[in-house]
Amino acid sequence: MIKKTLIAASAISLSAFALTACGAGADSPDSDSDDTIVMGFAQVGAESGWRTANTKSIQESAEDAGIELKFTDAQGKQENQIQAIRSYIQQKVDVIAFSPVVETGWDAVLQEAKSAGIPVILTDRAVDSDDTSLYESFLGSDFVVEGEKAGQWLVDNAGDADVDGDGTINVVQLEGTTGAAPAIDRADGFADVISADPSIKVTASQTGDFTRDGGKKVMESFLQSDDTIDVVYAHNDDMGLGAIEAIKAAGLTPGKDIMIITVDAVHDGMQALADGEINYIVECSPLLGPQLMEIAQKVVAGEEVEERILTEETTFTQAEAKEALPDRQY
Ligand code: AHR
């Protein structure tokens, strides 16, 4: 593609994008003058610590790989992501990557990219489409497995989780963004595994949109209407951290009066786990940048890539968090 100067990886708002995104259009005067790869990346937003770490990983890895990155922040809106992808198609970037806000509604814009001959790589989140020819590869976690791991820990620790000793474990669930793959899959995986133990029941479930503030508000309303909550299952650390604030404000001790299970293992979550305020975290790694750049280089070179590339991840107990914290990168 075009563009002699490398690496313009900057986080800019979508409205600013149209005006300021630099370089690399097909009409640029230096078009085809070198072989620098230009990637358009449409990010979900900045809703969580996980997302911030993911954006940093992508921007730094692009720079390391000598890939010019055009970056947009869709501020949690699918229409913004679609607009960004259309803009990348117009600019004739070499490759488009994105993490879909929600699972459905992508076929039309992905078909436009395909017709323009621009390969698409999905990172972090999947799309729900029957046509897998619309993208080259999907790099990210198995969110169903993450939900299963969370559920399995609860089943294995059901005795401790029944804090009030009434024989029933009442779980409230803080869901991620409605319609997003991690919200759907983490709920499914968890529900599937806890169904093995009839004493565990999800008594309330509501979206906190993967944000700390959302988790806090939803937990406040759960606490106002129910004083029998034993466990919070939050689809990410940020909502779990918001729930901790609400639990403390209600005069209860998080991690003791109410157990908390979360997903992500970002630094603040790990600190709360080490401090005993969260009880268990299922890791979801945001460090997808290096692998994404490798896949992009292969795709642009016309090499075969795997259709599904799974991220490796683990789980953390309180003791394991204390040990891992000093070396945690994010
Ligand atoms: O898609 C990954 C999820 O999105 C993370 O678990 C959550 O924190 C983020 O907002």
Side-chain angles (χ1 to χ4, degrees):
M1 170 111 202
I2 318 160
K3 197 69 186 166
K4 285 183 172 148
T5 43
L6 291 191
I7 303 114
S10 60
I12 50 180
S13 76
L14 193 72
S15 51
F17 174 82
L19 298 170
T20 62
C22 54
D27 300 331
S28 302
D30 56 347
S31 195
D32 295 327
S33 62
D34 77 14
D35 56 5
T36 300
I37 294 172
V38 178
M39 172 188 282
F41 189 93
Q43 181 60 290
V44 172
E47 72 281 8
S48 62
W50 189 100
R51 191 64 56 196
T52 305
N54 179 246
T55 292
K56 188 165 175 265
S57 170
I58 286 158
Q59 291 176 331
E60 287 177 356
S61 308
E63 186 155 358
D64 291 348
I67 290 178
E68 182 190 330
L69 184 69
K70 292 172 176 291
F71 184 93
T72 50
D73 173 343
Q75 295 162 9
K77 294 196 174 74
Q78 181 175 33
E79 61 267 31
N80 288 351
Q81 268 191 325
I82 290 175
Q83 200 187 323
I85 293 169
R86 291 212 164 106
S87 163
Y88 294 145
I89 295 170
Q90 250 181 357
Q91 293 172 75
K92 296 186 166 58
V93 299
D94 296 302
V95 56
I96 292 171
F98 79 115
S99 173
V101 176
V102 291
E103 270 191 337
T104 55
W106 299 102
D107 283 44
V109 73
L110 293 183
Q111 189 58 58
E112 288 167 36
K114 188 178 172 187
S115 303
I118 301 176
V120 171
I121 303 166
L122 303 177
T123 75
D124 163 36
R125 298 181 181 179
V127 296
D128 183 3
S129 170
D130 292 335
D131 187 354
T132 53
S133 78
L134 294 176
Y135 54 90
E136 303 294 319
S137 184
F138 166 35
L139 163 69
S141 311
D142 186 329
F143 299 133
V144 176
V145 169
E146 290 172 352
E148 288 170 353
K149 287 177 182 170
Q152 193 56 55
W153 185 84
L154 183 54
V155 169
D156 294 344
N157 292 274
D160 296 335
D162 183 13
V163 179
D164 54 14
D166 66 355
T168 308
I169 297 150
N170 293 330
V171 183
V172 294
Q173 178 169 242
L174 299 174
E175 300 164 24
T177 304
T178 305
I184 296 166
D185 294 350
R186 287 173 187 165
D188 286 352
F190 185 79
D192 196 29
V193 170
I194 61 164
S195 67
D197 184 339
S199 70
I200 304 175
K201 290 187 176 39
V202 176
T203 54
S205 185
Q206 206 173 302
T207 182
D209 213 12
F210 280 130
T211 66
R212 205 173 285 209
D213 196 44
K216 184 178 176 196
K217 286 195 176 116
V218 174
M219 192 63 202
E220 278 166 358
S221 81
F222 284 162
L223 285 163
Q224 272 159 21
S225 57
D226 185 1
D227 61 4
T228 66
I229 300 168
D230 296 300
V231 177
V232 173
Y233 168 43
H235 289 181
N236 79 344
D237 286 348
D238 278 83
M239 292 191 294
L241 292 162
I244 288 174
E245 289 176 36
I247 291 168
K248 284 182 178 167
L252 298 167
T253 307
K256 293 205 165 57
D257 295 329
I258 296 181
M259 279 197 168
I260 303 178
I261 305 167
T262 66
V263 184
D264 273 356
V266 295
H267 190 275
D268 289 358
M270 291 287 276
Q271 187 64 61
L273 182 62
D275 292 344
E277 294 187 328
I278 292 180
N279 300 81
Y280 190 63
I281 300 185
V282 177
E283 185 184 43
C284 176
S285 175
L287 305 180
L288 304 178
Q291 271 175 299
L292 173 61
M293 299 311 147
E294 256 178 58
I295 300 166
Q297 282 163 331
K298 284 189 181 161
V299 162
V300 172
E303 292 172 30
E304 288 273 306
V305 292
E306 283 173 57
E307 229 172 81
R308 177 74 172 104
I309 301 172
L310 269 177
T311 317
E312 278 178 32
E313 37 214 13
T314 184
T315 57
F316 294 97
T317 60
Q318 292 174 338
E320 287 163 344
K322 276 185 199 150
E323 219 174 291
L325 252 178
D327 303 321
R328 203 75 188 148
Q329 284 180 52
Y330 54 91

